[in-house]
Amino acid sequence: KKGADKAGRAMDGFQTYALVNLLMLEKGETLKSERVIAECGSAIMANVHYLVDFVKETGSEPPDYVKPIWDEYMDFHMSRDEATRHQKLHESHYSFLDPEEARFITPEIIRNFCIAGHPEEIVEQLRGLEKQGLDAVTFSLPLDKMYRTIEDFSRKVISKM
């Protein structure tokens, strides 16, 4: 809105979409389960890796949502061999969770980086985002779970909206 106002443009017909990580919990499951960490970990860490480069290149502070792990993650990152540090930082994106990085996937970080929860909690989160002006979401899903997740999402979330 601020950008449109500054440019003298109307927002008529403008839609806002977001690419998000989705993590739908199964009945009785928590954000600490091995399945959860494995399923969303590589996507979350790809975002953390981007922020490492962003902070390094811009000199800005890391955003609040990553601060719970930032200092410990940076200590870990800087302890890697300097010659291969950058490659190690980016090798796992959206494909696997580096076992050495799994400890950074905490329930707080999952909530900060994902639309996550049981189906009814996801419905609430999406409705809240809609009230803030978000028109649609698209998900970044693990390839081996993509079709099952889409089916589950349509049955357990979309049908309740």
Side-chain angles (χ1 to χ4, degrees):
K1 175 124 177 63
K2 289 179 187 177
D5 290 344
K6 185 177 179 179
R9 294 184 180 166
M11 295 286 292
D12 300 338
F14 184 84
Q15 294 191 329
T16 304
Y17 292 73
L19 173 63
V20 299
N21 298 313
L22 172 70
L23 192 288
M24 194 164 10
L25 294 173
E26 296 173 2
K27 190 173 183 166
E29 191 174 38
T30 72
L31 294 175
K32 293 181 179 182
S33 85
E34 286 184 34
R35 181 196 72 87
V36 165
I37 292 166
E39 195 164 302
C40 68
S42 69
I44 290 172
M45 291 313 298
N47 288 277
V48 172
H49 300 158
Y50 162 78
L51 291 169
V52 168
D53 282 343
F54 178 79
V55 168
K56 178 182 174 186
E57 292 172 13
T58 65
S60 62
E61 286 292 312
D64 289 342
Y65 58 85
V66 75
K67 284 186 177 177
I69 63 165
W70 187 258
D71 291 339
E72 186 180 350
Y73 184 78
M74 290 307 297
D75 289 344
F76 162 76
H77 173 62
M78 296 308 291
S79 73
R80 288 179 157 170
D81 177 30
E82 187 176 359
T84 59
R85 186 179 298 146
H86 185 76
Q87 289 88 354
K88 288 294 288 179
L89 181 66
H90 296 291
E91 76 180 351
S92 64
H93 291 187
Y94 295 100
S95 57
F96 69 93
L97 177 59
D98 180 335
E100 292 183 334
E101 294 183 336
R103 63 189 160 121
F104 299 106
I105 307 300
T106 65
E108 180 180 19
I109 289 297
I110 293 169
R111 280 189 218 92
N112 291 351
F113 280 85
C114 301
I115 292 179
H118 292 96
E120 59 278 0
E121 295 168 319
I122 291 172
V123 167
E124 288 177 30
Q125 291 172 54
L126 291 172
R127 285 189 175 142
L129 291 168
E130 184 178 38
K131 286 178 184 173
Q132 295 176 45
L134 188 65
D135 295 298
V137 293
T138 186
F139 301 116
S140 176
L141 301 169
L143 287 176
D144 63 337
K145 308 272 190 257
M146 183 171 45
Y147 295 113
R148 172 83 283 145
T149 303
I150 291 167
E151 289 175 13
D152 289 346
F153 184 77
S154 65
R155 268 188 301 100
K156 297 176 182 179
V157 175
I158 292 174
S159 67
K160 308 283 191 284
M161 306 240 1

